[in-house]
Every structure is written in C-alpha cells, then in structure tokens.
Amino acid sequence: MAPVLPLVLPLQSRIRLAQGLWLLSWLLALAGVLTLLCSGHLLVQLQYLGTFLAPSCPFSSLPQVALAAGAVALGTGLGGAGASRASLDAARYPPWRGILGPLLVAGTAGGGGLLVFALGLALGLPVSLDKGLEEGLGTALVHYKDTEVPGHCHAKRIMDELQLRHHCCGRHGYKDWFGVQWVSNRYLDPSDQEVVNRIQSNVEGLYLTDGVPFSCCNPHSPRPCLQSQLSDPYAHPLFDPRQPNLNLWAQGCHQVLLDHLQSLASTLGSILAVTFLLQALVLLGLRYLQTALEGLGGVIDAEGEAQGYLFPGGLKDMLKTAWLQGGVAHRAAPEKTPPEEVPPKEDLPEA
C-alpha cells in the first residue's frame, strides 16, 4: 500500500523542518496563552453580565470551551517545541519517540476538535445573544423593585450599576421604565389618592409612572437630572422631552451589551482561528518529522533521504483492510466434517 501524501526529506530538509517546527510550536503556545486570556476575560465579564442573559441562552458555553481549547493548544505547542528541539540531537530524541504518538493523537482529536467547536460557537452563538439579552433585560426591569424578595434582593443594585457603567437606560430606551413598576411597594403611601388611582388604573395593579431611576441620569447634563413626569411637556420649564439625551442616557442597554459581548466574541473567534491554523501546521510538521525519523531509526543526521507521510497506507486500502479483517474475525468457522470412509478394495482374482 502506498503511503498517504509522501514527502521526500533529505538531511537539510529534515533539519529545516525541525527548526521551523520549533518556532511554530512556540507561536502556537503563545496563541494558546492569548486564547486562555481572552476566554478568561469573557468568562469574567459574563459572571457580571450573565445576570442579564436568559437562562436558556448558551452564550456562556463559549468561554468554557475556548478555555479548554486554549489549554490543549498550549500543551501541544510546548510538546511540539520540546520534540522538535530534541529531534536535532540523536541522544535526546529517543525518549520523545514514545511521546510523539500520543501527542499527535491528543492534539488532533482533542485540541483540533475543541478548537473547531469553540470557533463554531464564536461564529454562531452571537445570533442567539440578541434573544437572550432581550429576555434577560426584560426580567431585570421587572424585578428592579423586588429589593426585599429572596433571590432578587440585588436586582436593583445590579441594574443601577449596569446603567451607570455602560451609559444606558432601559432595555431599548428610557421609555421602557414607563411600562414596569420600578418603585417598591414599601415606598408607596397607600393613603395617597394619587397612588391609589395609578394602581387602580392599571389592569395588573401596578404603580406605573412616566419616570426613570436615578441611574439613567447623564452626569454631563448641564442641568439637574429630571426623573419624573418626562412625558409632560409642561412639567419642566425649558425641557424638551423629544431630546432626552440632554438629560438621560439615550441608548438602551440591550444594544450596548450586544455590541460589547459580540466584540469580545469576535476577538476570541479571531484568536481561535489563528490558533487552529498554527495547531494544524504544527501537527502536520510533527507527523512528517516523526515518520521520517522512524525510517532512519530516530537519527536526524543519518545519511540518505527519508520519506515522511501522514498514513502508512492509502485511505481506501486502510478501510478495505479493516473491513476484511473485521469480516474474517466475525465469520463463523466452518464445521469440521469427519472424512468419508473409503470402501476397501476387493481383491481381484489373479488371471
């Protein structure tokens, strides 16, 4: 059977291959470190911003898979650097002969699979991020008032920090606060007729106002922040409700978070693509170097040409051989039949 993609490697080519692999392996290790740092940063961001994602949103799986892929890439790069450097010395290479095989299998199956999976998540999951933020931010607005409800005690603080830190207001704009009750019942006077009228005017019995929390205020505004009666053009002199950006954050938190997380995912996806390319080059080079040195008994400076290859036989021949071996192994052995008895020859009378 002819080997798959054979490559003739004379002495100088083997040496240059080993030296180039040493450099590529360190670049792969560096890419693995960058993958770990970028995915770790995204994971830290999601520990805070994950509150505003729907529980069913799978976006949080991206940094976890990328962390595993980065760790395998780092290990493959360090292993490849050690093996390629040891291959230049006949005395140091023998211990690596038994390590290169498992390293190639782990790097191809584990590292390659994880990198492809993580790269697919980086390209595909931002589509589901839009829906996850839509649902998560809507839930955050609803629970803003539940400062004394177990499980939602910190909802107000987290939402205020989000709006102050990212300069946003509401889900898609400041008017989103008009449709939810964001004032806790604890601070409403049940004897106040205005409060009673507002609650009774709503089908769901909510206290709705045309106001926003203080965290929506823009500190760069030249006038004090206006938080209530924002839809009444006569409530505040010299205030135009059609231009709220002079007083409140104009952009909704949905678009701000979507742009922020998609930017992090895009950066991580670019690093994963570079890491995948480097890992493929390192694994291919290590395989050619391994097979070439095995043909020379593990000595890189042996005289003559060596042949490197990916597989010892063609894919078709390998599958055919495996099929035939499997068929022979599962084929029932024929039953042994006793030999037929030969009738004795009759003695003929002599003439």
Side-chain angles (χ1 to χ4, degrees):
M1 294 183 294
V4 178
L5 297 177
L7 182 63
V8 178
L9 295 172
L11 175 59
Q12 293 301 322
S13 298
R14 295 194 298 269
I15 294 176
R16 285 195 295 268
L17 175 61
Q19 292 173 343
L21 275 175
W22 181 83
L23 178 60
L24 282 176
S25 297
W26 279 113
L27 290 177
L28 175 59
L30 177 60
V33 172
L34 290 177
T35 302
L36 290 174
L37 292 176
C38 188
S39 54
H41 175 65
L42 180 56
L43 191 62
V44 171
Q45 290 289 312
L46 286 179
Q47 287 183 350
Y48 164 65
L49 299 176
T51 309
F52 308 105
L53 284 174
S56 59
C57 183
F59 187 79
S60 58
S61 61
L62 170 59
Q64 299 172 1
V65 177
L67 276 173
V72 176
L74 175 59
T76 305
L78 294 177
S84 58
R85 183 176 179 84
S87 65
L88 295 172
D89 188 352
R92 297 175 56 186
Y93 181 69
W96 285 93
R97 296 179 69 177
I99 300 176
L100 267 179
L103 177 64
L104 289 171
V105 173
T108 304
L114 285 172
L115 282 171
V116 171
F117 186 36
L119 189 57
L121 290 177
L123 295 175
L125 283 184
V127 178
S128 64
L129 184 61
D130 190 353
K131 183 179 179 181
L133 285 172
E134 185 76 18
E135 181 181 344
L137 283 170
T139 304
L141 263 66
V142 170
H143 292 299
Y144 184 87
K145 68 180 189 305
D146 299 334
T147 54
E148 298 179 353
V149 178
H152 302 291
C153 302
H154 304 290
K156 177 184 179 301
R157 176 182 59 81
I158 294 175
M159 190 65 196
D160 286 335
E161 290 178 355
L162 173 69
Q163 296 187 139
L164 289 171
R165 180 180 301 178
H166 292 275
H167 298 175
C168 59
C169 181
R171 182 164 49 177
H172 298 288
Y174 74 99
K175 289 186 178 180
D176 290 333
W177 290 106
F178 297 177
V180 297
Q181 178 181 339
W182 56 271
V183 179
S184 174
N185 291 327
R186 179 182 180 181
Y187 304 105
L188 297 178
D189 184 4
S191 61
D192 189 343
Q193 189 60 40
E194 181 184 357
V195 173
V196 175
N197 293 337
R198 284 185 178 274
I199 294 177
Q200 291 179 350
S201 63
N202 186 267
V203 177
E204 299 179 358
L206 301 177
Y207 179 75
L208 304 180
T209 64
D210 53 350
V212 296
F214 78 96
S215 53
C216 283
C217 294
N218 183 354
H220 304 293
S221 174
R223 64 177 298 163
C225 183
L226 305 176
Q227 298 176 246
S228 60
Q229 297 179 302
L230 296 176
S231 58
D232 187 357
Y234 304 104
H236 308 286
L238 303 180
F239 173 72
D240 187 359
R242 294 171 297 180
Q243 296 181 346
N245 57 319
L246 300 178
N247 183 68
L248 307 173
W249 300 121
Q251 197 169 14
C253 295
H254 177 273
Q255 191 61 43
V256 172
L257 292 185
L258 185 63
D259 293 341
H260 178 62
L261 293 177
Q262 283 185 342
S263 176
L264 293 178
S266 177
T267 303
L268 179 57
S270 301
I271 296 176
L272 287 170
V274 174
T275 305
F276 176 76
L277 178 61
L278 288 173
Q279 179 139 333
L281 292 175
V282 168
L283 291 175
L284 284 174
L286 285 176
R287 178 57 176 168
Y288 275 109
L289 184 63
Q290 178 198 29
T291 52
L293 293 184
E294 288 300 319
L296 298 172
V299 181
I300 194 171
D301 55 355
E303 296 296 333
E305 296 180 345
Q307 188 182 57
Y309 51 82
L310 293 183
F311 301 103
L315 182 60
K316 181 179 179 181
D317 295 332
M318 291 173 62
L319 293 176
K320 183 179 180 181
T321 303
W323 175 265
L324 292 177
Q325 289 177 351
V328 171
H330 292 87
R331 188 181 303 163
E335 297 181 359
K336 295 184 178 180
T337 57
E340 297 181 359
E341 297 181 0
V342 181
K345 298 182 179 179
E346 297 181 357
D347 295 334
L348 298 177
E350 295 180 357

